[in-house]
Amino acid sequence: GENVEQHPSTLSVQEGDSAVIKCTYSDSASNYFPWYKQELGKRPQLIIDIRSNVGEKKDQRIAVTLNKTAKHFSLHITETQPEDSAVYFCAAKGDSSYKLIFGSGTRLLVRP
Amino acid sequence: EAGVAQSPRYKIIEKRQSVAFWCNPISGHATLYWYQQILGQGPKLLIQFQNNGVVDDSQLPKDRFSAERLKGVDSTLKIQPAKLEDSAVYLCASSLDSSGRTGELFFGEGSRLTVL
């Protein structure tokens, strides 16, 4: 079955710096890759997603890149702000599988 | 638009007792998911419904966990008997996409279970 690995588990950056979180997936048939943000004690919420027919997608300070050959995708946050502090989860879903499999999460801390 | 509703928000029980969680998805959403999130880990899919049919329950410990989705709307997740390792947040989510293949998942606030 699909397996999603996420790194790093924790990330601390200075406000204004960039943050990068990386994920790899095992199922080459995976074609949908969302990223969720979970603030402390809150529900996970979708922040950006990408499908396998594109290599990059950007939404203001957030971007996601996908390398299908290497089976990895990354979340890039530029000009980080304290409110970006949260746990970020990547996920992957294949066309033949209905299951959305999550990574183990990255705890991002943005220091003021 | 109302979000995914879950209850109870918190539950503390002793091992070997039973517990039930309830979820009301967003109106019109065909797909409903139950995830288990253990502290410090990512959500793990327990069961996925398409309308009132089960699409995937391969990760559901069927000797103690059961779930149903009546009339393709509300869902309940039951644990009987509970074990210490069942302590987790149980997240319900729903998505509009009827194929279940893509589309944003909308999560509820979760039900936090503590088993003593």
Side-chain angles (χ1 to χ4, degrees):
Chain A
E2 175 74 278
N3 184 48
V4 179
E5 294 192 358
Q6 183 171 348
H7 301 280
S9 57
T10 59
L11 180 60
S12 180
V13 300
Q14 195 70 38
E15 181 178 0
D17 287 350
S18 295
V20 181
I21 303 170
K22 300 180 179 180
C23 289
T24 59
Y25 60 97
S26 60
D27 185 356
S28 57
S30 294
N31 60 4
Y32 176 63
F33 308 92
W35 286 86
Y36 283 79
K37 176 183 180 181
Q38 187 174 31
E39 297 178 5
L40 188 63
K42 300 286 185 66
R43 70 187 79 189
Q45 291 190 298
L46 180 73
I47 55 171
I48 195 168
D49 59 11
I50 191 169
R51 288 173 170 76
S52 58
N53 57 345
V54 297
E56 183 174 359
K57 184 176 179 180
K58 190 173 182 179
D59 182 4
Q60 298 182 344
R61 297 187 296 108
I62 294 173
V64 58
T65 59
L66 172 65
N67 183 326
K68 288 183 62 179
T69 302
K71 292 192 288 187
H72 68 69
F73 56 112
S74 301
L75 178 71
H76 305 253
I77 306 175
T78 58
E79 301 172 23
T80 54
Q81 301 168 4
E83 51 265 39
D84 294 330
S85 296
V87 179
Y88 291 82
F89 293 98
C90 62
K93 181 186 282 192
D95 189 52
S96 59
S97 168
Y98 295 99
K99 297 167 61 172
L100 185 65
I101 304 300
F102 283 84
S104 54
T106 296
R107 183 173 299 278
L108 174 65
L109 174 64
V110 180
R111 305 186 306 274
Chain B
E1 177 181 272
V4 177
Q6 288 188 247
S7 67
R9 290 292 313 279
Y10 305 93
K11 189 74 175 179
I12 301 174
I13 61 174
E14 295 188 348
K15 59 183 179 183
R16 290 187 291 274
Q17 287 187 324
S18 64
V19 62
F21 302 114
W22 172 83
C23 173
N24 180 237
I26 293 173
S27 178
H29 280 198
T31 310
L32 185 147
Y33 315 76
W34 282 102
Y35 281 88
Q36 179 192 58
Q37 187 175 24
I38 293 173
L39 187 64
Q41 298 182 18
K44 170 188 164 185
L45 181 67
L46 293 177
I47 189 166
Q48 180 174 338
F49 293 94
Q50 197 72 24
N51 298 306
N52 61 348
V54 175
V55 173
D56 189 290
D57 64 356
S58 58
Q59 299 275 64
L60 188 73
K62 298 180 185 62
D63 58 334
R64 298 183 301 105
F65 286 64
S66 64
E68 60 180 4
R69 188 181 185 193
L70 299 175
K71 300 180 181 179
V73 183
D74 292 7
S75 177
T76 56
L77 175 70
K78 297 179 181 178
I79 307 174
Q80 183 180 11
K83 292 186 175 181
L84 296 176
E85 58 261 36
D86 297 333
S87 294
V89 175
Y90 291 86
L91 292 164
C92 179
S94 68
S95 66
L96 177 62
D97 177 46
S98 60
S99 73
R101 293 181 177 179
T102 59
E104 179 178 359
L105 267 63
F106 293 85
F107 284 90
E109 296 281 5
S111 293
R112 181 179 297 277
L113 173 67
T114 301
V115 182
L116 303 176

